[in-house]
Amino acid sequence: MDVMRVAEIMATHPEHRRRPHAEAYALGAAFCNDSLVPLVEASVPLVDCGFMHADAVYDVVSVSRGQFFRLEDHQDRFARSCRAIQLKSPMGRGREAEILNELVDRAGLRDAYVWWAVTRGLPPLGRGEMIDPAAFTPRFYAFASPFVWVADDEQRVRGLDLVLSRERVRISPRAVDPTAKNFHWLDMQMALFEAGARGGDWALLCDDSGHLAEATGANVFVVVDGECRTPDAGCLEGITGRSVVELCAELGFGAKYTRIHADELVSVEEIFLSTTAGSIMPVRRLDGQPVGGRDAPGPVATALHNRYWERRFEGWHGSPVLYGASE
Ligand SMILES: Cc1ncc(COP(=O)(O)O)c(C=O)c1O
């Protein structure tokens, strides 16, 4: 079985055809400063604490064939992220979903990458007020663009070349809570540059005790004795990863959240990553060495990838975009 070329299906299958939309929304639609605008016109005030201090949380949900995937789960996680950093969203949950829908609708997207964030907003002007979360006015931003593939068909079909970072560790959960989806990306971004410099295309980070945390913008899974294992701490609780665990049950594979030490990687059968904008991404090499002696996507990752997309196209965990609602 080969990894399905899903980007090709999205580009050619009639159910993915983009709906009519104004030319100004070709690259997508955004919501900022309380209005809906073409993505190319969206802006953030320079002094927004989200921009200046990475003081913000966000989430990303995808749409395919006109269906949001696990929107409720993403909204639940977003609400938890806000609580974790004492941030009160200016949007109620219902209005939040309505705006996300309007953005996809306005841009006529059948397959979309939908991002939203709440930042701490502009700093309060009064002296001493920075110590009081209630003194800030949080701001809501969002956009919907055509679906973004962080690993394209070619990469997923051949398998990623993963590099275990030697220079960076994932920031300590005691410094920045990784379960609150946040703007702190420097550790992951620098590890990605390291991966590029070492001839790879993706980076994996450990915590400071050498246990796996997560990859840049993605959760990591290993396959041992046919069982899928993924870290139970030090990482974002990925919604794609949750889908992987559910699909394992459907396909008869074991799955568990557990601690995994980097030293165990030499003997795993497979490695794969999971994230909304890439789905399930098989790994062929770790630090230049074929994983499981194969140098290609493994059978478990391939089966999960293909089942994930088959189920999504059937409407699994889907909620329809209400087209026409933003007119
Ligand atoms: C740090 C990090 N870990 C894991 C993930 C995967 O989460 P999800 O599957 O919900 O997209 C992401 C997604 O962007 C991420 O940024």
Side-chain angles (χ1 to χ4, degrees):
M1 191 196 312
D2 289 335
V3 169
M4 254 161 72
R5 291 181 169 270
V6 185
E8 198 175 297
I9 295 172
M10 285 184 181
T12 52
H13 191 287
E15 282 195 59
H16 297 272
R17 198 167 297 142
R18 200 159 165 184
R19 294 168 54 88
H21 56 278
E23 187 49 32
Y25 291 94
L27 293 181
F31 185 93
C32 61
N33 307 320
D34 288 324
S35 50
L36 204 157
V37 294
L39 181 54
V40 286
E41 290 171 21
S43 65
V44 177
L46 193 58
V47 292
D48 188 312
C49 296
F51 178 70
M52 289 185 73
H53 297 155
D55 189 348
V57 289
Y58 75 111
D59 219 290
V60 176
V61 64
S62 64
V63 169
S64 195
R65 292 198 180 170
Q67 306 249 349
F68 281 100
F69 183 58
R70 307 192 80 137
L71 179 57
E72 295 266 326
D73 292 332
H74 283 277
Q75 286 196 276
D76 285 347
R77 182 173 70 184
F78 184 70
R80 287 197 301 276
S81 298
C82 287
R83 280 197 297 277
I85 70 159
Q86 300 183 55
L87 193 59
K88 188 171 173 355
S89 174
M91 295 301 162
R93 190 182 171 103
R95 181 66 188 129
E96 183 178 280
E98 220 169 71
I99 292 171
L100 302 182
N101 190 93
E102 282 169 15
L103 292 170
V104 177
D105 181 23
R106 186 66 65 88
L109 297 165
R110 304 271 303 166
D111 296 279
Y113 174 96
V114 186
W115 177 102
W116 79 104
V118 173
T119 68
R120 195 78 61 190
L122 309 189
L125 294 174
R127 199 187 265 184
E129 284 184 309
M130 292 281 281
I131 59 168
D132 179 8
F136 291 78
T137 309
R139 294 171 79 104
F140 179 93
Y141 300 91
F143 71 85
S145 69
F147 186 69
V148 174
W149 283 99
V150 291
D152 61 19
D153 277 358
E154 295 312 319
Q155 286 174 305
R156 294 194 325 287
V157 170
R158 72 149 155 83
L160 296 174
D161 290 344
L162 189 65
V163 167
L164 181 63
S165 181
R166 295 182 201 130
E167 293 172 9
R168 307 279 159 179
V169 290
R170 187 79 175 100
I171 191 168
S172 162
R174 292 184 60 205
V176 178
D177 179 354
T179 67
K181 192 167 163 64
N182 63 78
F183 278 15
H184 176 93
W185 262 69
L186 264 184
D187 47 353
M188 297 189 289
Q189 183 61 52
M190 297 313 289
L192 200 54
F193 289 148
E194 179 192 340
R198 288 170 54 194
D201 42 25
W202 214 285
L204 177 59
L205 295 101
C206 291
D207 62 18
D208 55 13
S209 69
H211 290 90
L212 303 190
E214 54 196 332
T216 301
N219 291 109
V220 60
F221 283 78
V222 296
V223 181
V224 179
D225 297 331
E227 179 183 69
C228 294
R229 300 180 184 170
T230 190
D232 59 354
C235 55
L236 183 69
E237 292 164 0
I239 309 278
T240 319
R242 192 184 304 174
S243 307
V244 165
V245 171
E246 291 174 14
L247 292 173
C248 280
E250 280 191 27
L251 291 167
F253 304 138
K256 78 172 173 210
Y257 292 91
T258 183
R259 267 186 128 199
I260 305 161
H261 197 277
D263 291 347
E264 298 171 47
L265 288 173
V266 285
S267 57
V268 301
E269 289 140 29
E270 296 184 37
I271 303 177
F272 61 90
L273 309 181
S274 67
T275 189
T276 294
S279 73
I280 293 157
M281 306 185 292
V283 170
R284 69 168 175 180
R285 292 183 194 154
L286 177 69
D287 293 340
Q289 298 303 311
V291 176
R294 194 180 293 104
D295 209 21
V300 172
T302 302
L304 286 165
H305 172 277
N306 293 354
R307 178 63 75 105
Y308 172 85
W309 283 106
E310 283 158 14
R311 298 289 277 126
R312 286 214 42 189
F313 291 159
E314 287 166 15
W316 184 53
H317 287 306
S319 52
V321 176
L322 306 173
Y323 293 108
S326 73
E327 279 149 21

